[in-house]
């Protein structure tokens, strides 16, 4: 056995001396007898389809455009062009591409030209008797210097595969950065739009609260109501003022966050389109191929899978380091201590032959390297599975929240209809002279508060949809892997 590879027995001949020597010496640096078992990745966990969920297509590449918000589209475009984190991810892709080129160069022969001029004076009592006490101008010209590494054991090929795997991983990580960036912008924009609409609703509420306070004060002065009605109206009015101030601060914070994500300063002008409660919300559901489709549509899963492949290739390269290393070298040129006769036929020099190195005793360095690469591979496998589980959990959490929000929305609609009927009855009684105006105003205030609750619920449902699109990969496809293969293949 040669390490862990089968060697065919041959008859000994003189020209077989070198291979036989290889077989003898490389046994001194044999592979370790024990390595942690590189177990296969376990099967993909199953995920039950939530009851009542419709089947929807996978997200599009520009999934946020489904919200039909021109201001949001502009913000995302600015962020994709100027966000520093995304530009940093793009720089890492450029670095990985350069590393692939560098790794692939090891498979090719290297050629260079050599030219050297050396002025040297030999001491009078030196070892060069014929040259002692003289100076010489040594010239060396090698038009051809070639070297080629013979990749008998596939180490260079494994390093190329590892570099390409890292490139694909980094590209997927850049796609994940784009996805997280667009998701964050959409979430902040929806929150900004919801807070802006909520501020309008709160200001309408203050209008009705001021009217109720005036009616309560008039009734108190007339002796029709006690002081508690006036005090209660003042408290609710003050609370509304505090909510308005809090919403103004929240709107400013959302704009600052959007400006930062878009690569701009806090003074940037952030436009927001008016919310339209009549516009239908995007559909919430699950694609037909869930969860298997997540393996190719979640960039974080794709990146984790490429990390496993790159780590496996590194293990192969570490194993190949136990075997002989062979380099072929070719040199042809002229050298002379006199420049005038440099090109004389007798000064032509050439050399060709292999340079062979083989590990005999490395103090355990090679075994440690192999074990460490194997540990990286095992960790990458575990990270891959953890990424899949995390993705499935995210989808399940978002779908569960979507079902809760749908129930809340239905309850709010029923509550609003009931309160509207109550307000209409109170208003009719006031206009007919059967009751004072205060109950009608209080019913109108309750109706307005329910309207605010519906605005909050709509914002949460939109954010839930954004999180679902992100959890499903945000339009990322396996075309990124195909692009990588075409670029490097």
């Amino acid at each position: 056995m040669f390490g862990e590879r089968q060697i065919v027995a041959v008859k000994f001949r003189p020209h077989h001396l070198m291979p036989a020597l290889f077989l003898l010496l490389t046994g001194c640096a044999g592979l370790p007898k024990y390595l942690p078992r590189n177990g296969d990745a376990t099967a993909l966990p199953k995920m039950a389809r939530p009851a009542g969920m419709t089947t929807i297509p996978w997200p599009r590449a520009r999934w946020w455009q489904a919200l039909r918000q021109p201001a949001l589209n502009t913000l995302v475009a600015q962020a994709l062009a100027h966000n520093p984190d995304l530009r940093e991810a793009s720089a890492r892709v450029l670095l990985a591409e350069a590393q692939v080129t560098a790794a692939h160069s090891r498979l090719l022969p290297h050629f260079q030209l050599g030219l050297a001029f050396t002025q040297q004076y030999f001491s009078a009592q030196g070892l060069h008797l014929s040259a002692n006490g003289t100076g010489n101008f040594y010239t060396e010209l090698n038009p051809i210097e070639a070297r080629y590494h013979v990749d008998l054991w596939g180490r260079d090929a494994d390093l190329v595969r590892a570099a390409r795997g890292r490139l694909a991983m980094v590209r997927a990580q850049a796609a994940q950065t784009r996805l997280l960036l667009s998701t964050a912008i959409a979430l902040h924009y929806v929150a900004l739009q919801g807070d802006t609409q909520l501020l309008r609703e709160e200001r309408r509420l203050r209008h009705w609260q001021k009217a109720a306070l005036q009616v309560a004060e008039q009734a108190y002065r007339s002796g029709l109501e006690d002081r508690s009605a006036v005090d209660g109206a003042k408290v609710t009015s003050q609370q509304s003022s505090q909510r308005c101030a809090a919403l103004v601060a929240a709107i400013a914070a959302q704009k600052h966050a959007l400006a930062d994500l878009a690569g701009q300063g806090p003074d940037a002008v952030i436009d927001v389109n008016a919310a339209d409660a009549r516009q239908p919300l995007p559909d919430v559901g699950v694609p037909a191929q869930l969860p298997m489709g997540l393996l190719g549509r979640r960039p974080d899963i794709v990146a984790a899978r490429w990390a496993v492949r790159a780590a496996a290739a590194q293990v192969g390269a570490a194993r190949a380091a136990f075997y002989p290393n062979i380099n072929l070298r070719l040199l042809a040129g002229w050298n002379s201590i006199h420049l005038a006769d440099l090109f004389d036929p007798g000064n032509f020099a050439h050399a060709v032959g292999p340079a062979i190195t083989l590990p005999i005793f490395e103090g355990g360095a090679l075994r440690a390297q192999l074990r460490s690469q194997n540990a990286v591979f095992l960790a990458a496998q575990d990270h891959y599975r953890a990424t899949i589980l995390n993705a499935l959990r995210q989808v399940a959490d978002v779908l569960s929240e979507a079902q809760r929000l749908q129930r809340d929305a239905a309850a709010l609609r029923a509550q609003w209809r009931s309160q509207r009927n109550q307000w209409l009855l109170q208003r009719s009684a006031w206009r007919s002279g059967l009751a004072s105006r205060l109950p009608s105003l209080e019913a109108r205030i309750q109706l307005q508060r329910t309207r605010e609750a519906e605005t909050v619920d709509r914002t949460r449902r939109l954010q839930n949809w954004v999180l679902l699109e992100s959890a499903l990969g945000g339009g990322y496809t396996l075309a990124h892997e195909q692009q990588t293969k075409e670029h490097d293949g």
Side-chain angles (χ1 to χ4, degrees):
M1 293 294 295
F2 180 77
E4 288 188 0
R5 304 193 181 196
Q6 187 69 35
I7 299 299
V8 179
V10 294
K11 294 182 179 179
F12 179 80
R13 294 188 177 92
H15 63 273
H16 288 159
L17 177 61
M18 191 63 68
L21 184 61
F22 288 170
L23 297 179
L24 176 64
L25 293 181
T26 51
C28 299
L31 287 164
K33 298 179 179 180
Y34 168 79
L35 280 176
R37 183 173 179 270
N38 299 339
D40 297 332
T42 55
L44 181 67
K46 297 182 179 180
M47 178 178 176
R49 180 180 295 270
M53 281 291 173
T54 59
T55 300
I56 62 171
W58 289 96
R60 299 178 301 172
R62 300 182 180 273
W63 53 271
W64 57 87
Q65 294 181 350
L67 296 176
R68 300 179 182 178
Q69 299 292 332
L72 172 60
N73 299 339
T74 301
L75 283 170
V76 175
Q78 292 175 347
L80 294 179
H82 304 293
N83 181 267
D85 292 334
L86 185 55
R87 294 173 69 89
E88 180 184 355
S90 299
R92 287 196 294 269
V93 172
L94 295 178
L95 174 61
E97 290 175 347
Q99 291 173 341
V100 169
T101 302
H104 187 264
S105 69
R106 296 172 60 90
L107 297 174
L108 304 175
H110 290 218
F111 297 89
Q112 64 185 24
L113 179 146
L115 177 62
F117 300 97
T118 305
Q119 176 67 44
Q120 184 175 2
Y121 176 80
F122 295 93
S123 68
Q125 303 298 325
L127 298 177
H128 305 81
L129 298 180
S130 62
N132 286 351
T134 65
N136 294 282
F137 185 78
Y138 181 76
T139 306
E140 182 177 5
L141 173 61
N142 297 321
I144 298 179
E145 289 186 9
R147 53 188 175 85
Y148 175 68
H149 180 252
V150 182
D151 191 26
L152 290 178
W153 323 114
R155 183 170 185 265
D156 293 342
D158 283 331
L159 292 176
V160 172
R161 281 191 288 271
R164 288 177 175 172
R166 287 192 297 269
L167 172 58
M169 177 191 69
V170 171
R171 283 177 173 168
Q173 289 174 343
Q176 176 71 1
T177 302
R178 287 192 295 270
L179 174 59
L180 295 178
L181 176 61
S182 58
T183 300
I185 291 178
L187 289 174
H188 282 291
Y189 182 85
V190 169
L192 172 61
Q193 193 177 50
D195 288 342
T196 303
Q197 180 62 27
L198 197 58
L199 181 59
R200 298 191 188 102
E201 299 289 349
E202 191 66 31
R203 286 171 176 169
R204 293 193 189 102
L205 177 63
R206 290 189 62 190
H207 168 76
W208 295 109
Q209 287 175 335
K210 288 180 179 179
L213 178 59
Q214 292 176 357
V215 171
E217 289 176 342
Q218 291 176 358
Y220 172 70
R221 287 193 296 267
S222 301
L224 301 177
E225 294 286 348
D226 57 14
R227 185 68 185 178
S228 61
V230 177
D231 294 339
K234 286 183 178 180
V235 170
T236 56
S237 180
Q238 291 172 354
Q239 291 174 345
S240 180
S241 298
Q242 294 174 354
R243 285 195 295 270
C244 286
L247 286 171
V248 170
I251 289 172
Q254 296 293 351
K255 288 184 176 180
H256 296 161
L258 286 170
D260 178 64
L261 291 171
Q264 304 179 32
D267 294 334
V269 177
I270 303 296
D271 296 326
V272 58
N273 301 119
D276 186 1
R278 297 171 298 179
Q279 181 178 347
L281 297 175
D283 293 333
V284 175
V286 291
Q289 296 180 346
L290 191 75
M292 181 61 68
L294 286 177
L295 298 181
R297 293 185 176 269
R298 289 262 308 204
D300 55 344
I301 295 180
V302 174
R305 184 166 66 249
W306 276 112
V308 173
R309 296 181 181 180
Q314 288 285 9
V315 172
R319 289 171 60 91
F322 284 81
Y323 303 119
N325 189 35
I326 304 175
N327 287 278
L328 300 180
R329 187 184 179 195
L330 168 66
L331 182 148
W334 296 266
N335 57 78
S336 173
I337 60 174
H338 301 293
L339 183 60
D341 59 0
L342 175 64
F343 296 103
D344 285 351
N347 291 331
F348 178 75
H350 61 277
V352 61
I356 304 170
T357 59
L358 54 157
I360 298 177
F361 179 72
E362 297 286 341
L366 293 180
R367 296 190 178 196
Q369 177 67 14
L370 179 56
R371 288 181 180 274
S372 66
Q373 292 297 340
N374 195 81
V376 171
F377 171 72
L378 295 176
Q381 280 189 325
D382 292 333
H383 176 69
Y384 177 51
R385 176 169 173 79
T387 304
I388 295 175
L389 293 175
N390 181 66
L392 295 176
R393 180 187 61 80
Q394 287 182 358
V395 174
D397 288 347
V398 172
L399 293 177
S400 177
E401 179 68 8
Q403 291 179 317
R404 186 189 70 81
L405 291 173
Q406 288 176 355
R407 293 191 296 267
D408 291 348
L412 284 173
R413 285 193 298 269
Q415 179 180 335
W416 186 87
R417 287 192 296 267
S418 176
Q419 289 179 339
R420 185 175 184 276
N421 293 334
Q422 182 68 19
W423 169 64
L424 291 175
L425 290 174
Q426 294 289 352
R427 188 180 65 172
S428 177
W430 165 63
R431 289 179 176 178
S432 301
L434 301 177
S436 67
R437 190 187 179 192
L438 189 58
S440 173
L441 291 173
E442 291 176 348
R444 184 64 182 83
I445 290 172
Q446 293 300 323
L447 183 63
Q448 185 64 28
R449 286 175 175 169
T450 302
R451 179 65 72 187
E452 291 184 3
E454 287 184 324
T455 300
V456 173
D457 178 76
R458 180 180 176 85
T459 299
R460 290 174 178 173
R461 293 174 68 188
L462 282 172
Q463 290 181 321
N464 179 264
W465 175 83
V466 170
L467 292 175
L468 178 60
E469 294 290 292
S470 178
L472 294 177
Y476 181 85
T477 64
L478 285 175
H480 291 78
E481 292 195 40
Q482 184 63 33
Q483 181 183 15
T484 298
K485 294 177 182 178
E486 292 175 355
H487 182 273
D488 303 316

